[in-house]
């Protein structure tokens, strides 16, 4: 996730652009840059870190311009650096582009363009777009037509904006799967990844649709589809209050991030082809030599690892040890040298996880990290890294990072199972197809948010909550409890369904909310018996299942090992609504920090 801003019109747009970038910093803040038209052509300024650093350069340069595009970055391909930050240029510095999304065929494009003599300056996927436009401009002089031909060659997701030295005042844009909205002013147009970037200047917004291309000048915004047919798009009047608009109109970042999950998992899954080398950097030969796995993480990321244990053991038949990093690092482990170490961390900076990873590395193990922050310390200490592509997670309570971590680990489980010969090609293909559909299943699950809100209203006065799950859904019970306790400050505990009769059932009291996860499958009946046991003691049962069951919350049906990724969504919503009804400070719960960098 990155943020794009643009302006063309009669005003000096420097303040507009800087203000717009600051409003979009929630989408990325590892570097920022601006391409502005001035008398001699296009000038570019870039800075690593927050937009404030770019602003200092812009102010020092006394920049003035009437047409500019800019970008605040959340690195996906290539570490945060000046070279990798946007805007990117063609070889002559005449075309500048900013991009949000992932260009999936950038490798092929880069090879092809390099063979034609193009020189690439960055490690990004995005730069290919600038060189492609340059190449198309050799065939025809019209900037918009050349831009459109270049866009047709892109695969993947993009919100793309470009300017060209020989077409002053013109911004060309294209959208597919990444957001792009145009703001309409008087004799001026704005462009942004999200409305708050221009809401202080105009509340008239044109939301582009996938496949749209637009040519924007100060006096007109012409929209076409990829076939060149003119499109008409509604001008919407936005009634949001600029102060809450950064949260996309949501009350808190947490609920916004819960609803971001279809996009976050889609962006993550788009980088995970059914090929262990391409998705994880591990060669098939190396994958076949792996005899077991240590998965180490903290908090929510630990729950993702614990869930992966069930999935990997089931599909790949490999032994998996999962532990919280704060315990793992103090154990005297006789490390198995042919086991792979996996660190899971949203921030990539968690001190306990890093210490555990360093122990494993010192013992001579290879390490794979699954992180959300490009270039973070844990990624630098690892042999292999796979990123979740969630964009910044602002709320302290992790939600979208969790489902994306689960997606990466699920893909890993299937890929390693295939390489180890424990999953036949046909079964693998079928499971992978189902996996690719996950984002739309999450979207479907989110449609039941109102049902969860009603359930929250029925239980929020309780001071104690129990979550039950078995098998791969057991870690989701732990995660549901963690989510609720960290933002509501209420007592919540997760148990394995079969374990409650060994003690915890003693605390079940009349009216106590018990959330039971019961996917259709081998343990469905067993889970229903656990429900009866607590129900008979007066518990207020909330069942989450994937099969019709009276009064239950139903998520779409999938194989039992994908169920956890869907089942956690109602639990996140429940935690959110209960805490909101309790009037808690949801995005910044007391005593907690987003990233725990001390051991
Ligand atoms: C999640 O809601 C928590 N805030 C916390 O448990 C978190 O998952 C944990 O501290 C690990 O952080 P990391 O993923 O950045 O390593």
């Amino acid at each position: 996730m990155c943020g794009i801003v643009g302006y063309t019109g009669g005003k000096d747009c420097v303040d507009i652009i800087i203000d717009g970038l600051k409003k979009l910093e929630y989408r990325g803040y590892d570097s920022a840059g601006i391409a502005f038209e001035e008398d001699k052509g296009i000038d570019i300024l870039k800075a690593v870190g927050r937009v404030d650093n770019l602003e200092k350069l812009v102010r020092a340069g006394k920049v003035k311009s009437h047409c500019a595009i800019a970008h605040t970055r959340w690195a996906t391909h290539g570490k945060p650096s000046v070279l990798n930050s946007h805007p990117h240029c063609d070889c002559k510095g005449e075309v500048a582009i900013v991009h949000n999304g992932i260009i999936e065929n950038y490798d092929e494009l880069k090879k092809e363009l390099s063979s034609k003599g193009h020189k690439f300056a960055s490690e990004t996927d995005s730069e290919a777009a600038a060189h492609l436009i340059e190449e198309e401009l050799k065939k025809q002089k019209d900037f918009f037509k050349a831009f459109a031909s270049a866009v047709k060659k892109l695969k993947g997701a993009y919100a793309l904006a470009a300017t060209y030295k020989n077409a002053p005042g013109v911004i060309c844009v294209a959208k597919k799967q990444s957001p792009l909205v145009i703001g309409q002013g008087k004799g001026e147009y704005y462009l942004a990844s999200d409305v708050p970037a221009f809401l202080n200047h105009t509340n008239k917004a044109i939301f582009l649709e996938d496949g749209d291309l637009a040519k924007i000048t100060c006096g007109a915004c012409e929209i076409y589809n990829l076939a060149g047919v003119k499109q008409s798009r509604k001008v919407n009047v936005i009634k949001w209050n600029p102060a809450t608009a950064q949260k996309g109109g949501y009350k808190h970042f947490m609920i916004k991030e819960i609803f971001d999950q279809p996009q976050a998992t889609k962006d993550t899954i788009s980088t995970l082809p059914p090929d262990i080398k391409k998705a994880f950097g591990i060669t098939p030969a190396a994958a076949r030599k792996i005899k077991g796995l240590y998965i180490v993480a903290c908090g929510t990321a630990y729950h993702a690892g614990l869930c992966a244990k069930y999935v990997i053991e089931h599909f790949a038949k490999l032994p998996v040890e999962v532990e919280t990093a704060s315990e793992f690092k103090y154990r005297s482990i006789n490390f198995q040298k042919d086991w792979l170490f996996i660190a899971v961390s949203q921030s990539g900076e968690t001190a306990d996880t890093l210490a555990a990873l360093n122990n494993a590395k010192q013992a001579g193990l290879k390490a794979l990290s699954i992180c959300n922050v490009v270039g973070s310390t844990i990624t630098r200490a690892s042999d292999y890294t796979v990123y979740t592509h969630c964009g910044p997670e602002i709320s302290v309570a992790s939600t979208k990072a969790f489902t994306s971590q689960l997606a990466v680990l699920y893909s890993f489980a299937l890929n390693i199972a295939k390489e180890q010969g424990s999953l036949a090609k046909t079964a693998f293909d079928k499971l992978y197809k189902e996996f690719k559909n996950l984002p739309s299943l999450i979207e479907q699950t989110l449609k039941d948010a109102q049902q969860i809100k009603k359930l929250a209203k029925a239980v929020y006065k309780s001071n104690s909550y129990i979550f039950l799950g078995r098998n791969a859904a057991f870690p989701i019970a732990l995660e549901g409890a963690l989510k609720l306790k960290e933002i509501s400050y209420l007592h919540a505990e997760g148990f394995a369904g079969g374990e409650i009769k060994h003690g915890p059932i003693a605390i079940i009291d009349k009216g106590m909310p018990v959330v039971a996860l019961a996917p259709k499958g081998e343990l469905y009946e067993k889970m229903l018996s656990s429900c009866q046991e607590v129900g008979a003691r007066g518990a207020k049962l909330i069942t989450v299942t994937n099969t019709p069951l009276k009064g239950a919350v139903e998520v779409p049906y999938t194989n039992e090992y994908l169920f956890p990724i869907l089942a956690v969504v109602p639990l996140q919503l429940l935690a959110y609504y209960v805490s909101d009804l309790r009037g808690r400070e949801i995005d910044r719960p007391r005593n907690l920090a987003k990233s725990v960098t001390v051991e």
Side-chain angles (χ1 to χ4, degrees), residues 298-301 344-348 350 353 396-398 405 482-483 486 593-594 596:
C298 299
T300 288
V344 188
S345 172
Q346 185 283 131
S347 60
T350 301
T353 310
V396 164
S398 184
Q405 286 161 355
L482 175 65
K483 220 66 316 156
E486 69 177 333
K594 182 68 187 159
V596 186

Side-chain angles (χ1 to χ4, degrees), residues 311-323:
V311 186
I312 295 166
E313 285 177 350
H314 176 77
F315 289 118
K317 316 287 180 223
L318 281 173
V320 184
E321 259 201 42
V322 184
E323 198 161 3

Side-chain angles (χ1 to χ4, degrees), residues 466 468 495-506 508 530-531 533-534:
I466 299 297
L468 302 177
F495 296 107
E499 191 58 20
I500 46 158
K501 57 183 177 297
H502 297 290
I505 200 162
I508 305 286
S530 306
C531 291
E533 282 162 20
V534 293

Side-chain angles (χ1 to χ4, degrees), residues 86-275:
H86 298 219
H88 293 291
C89 283
D90 65 333
C91 299
K92 293 185 250 163
E94 293 183 344
V95 174
I97 66 102
V98 289
H99 166 235
N100 169 37
I102 295 168
I103 296 175
E104 286 167 16
N105 59 335
Y106 84 100
D107 223 10
E108 278 159 50
L109 290 172
K110 199 168 170 176
K111 277 183 197 136
E112 191 187 317
L113 290 159
S114 301
S115 72
K116 290 182 178 157
H118 290 262
K119 296 273 177 284
F120 282 74
S122 75
E123 301 159 307
T124 65
D125 54 331
S126 311
E127 192 186 342
H131 294 277
L132 252 186
I133 299 169
E134 178 184 20
E135 198 57 31
E136 293 301 323
L137 279 164
K138 287 180 191 161
K139 299 177 199 156
Q140 63 165 305
K141 299 222 169 324
D142 183 283
F143 176 38
F144 183 68
K145 286 185 182 156
F147 175 81
S149 311
V151 168
K152 282 186 202 158
K153 298 192 169 135
L154 301 178
K155 286 190 188 146
Y158 47 79
L160 183 69
T163 53
Y164 177 40
K165 183 186 169 205
N166 297 332
V170 179
I171 302 177
C172 293
V173 302
K175 175 198 160 11
K176 190 182 151 212
Q177 288 172 20
S178 296
L180 199 56
V181 52
I182 293 168
Q184 187 185 54
K186 287 197 183 109
E188 60 184 8
Y189 280 94
Y190 300 80
L191 137 84
S193 302
D194 200 356
V195 172
F198 56 69
L199 200 53
N200 283 335
H201 308 285
T202 178
N203 63 353
K204 290 193 182 134
I206 303 164
F207 293 92
L208 293 183
E209 292 181 12
D210 281 352
D212 281 354
L213 298 151
K215 177 181 175 184
I216 309 170
T217 58
C218 60
C221 168
E222 293 165 20
I223 302 171
Y224 299 86
N225 66 13
L226 283 167
V229 180
K230 210 162 185 180
Q231 305 292 302
S232 84
R233 298 277 172 255
K234 195 173 143 207
V235 179
N236 300 270
V237 177
I238 304 293
K239 298 201 175 104
W240 289 347
N241 157 3
T244 55
Q246 253 172 303
K247 296 172 192 142
Y250 290 101
K251 191 170 171 190
H252 298 98
F253 276 110
M254 181 181 176
I255 187 74
K256 177 183 178 293
E257 287 164 2
I258 290 173
F259 277 86
D260 275 348
Q261 290 179 112
Q263 189 65 48
T265 49
K266 191 173 191 171
D267 290 346
T268 301
I269 290 172
S270 75
T271 64
L272 298 169
D275 179 315

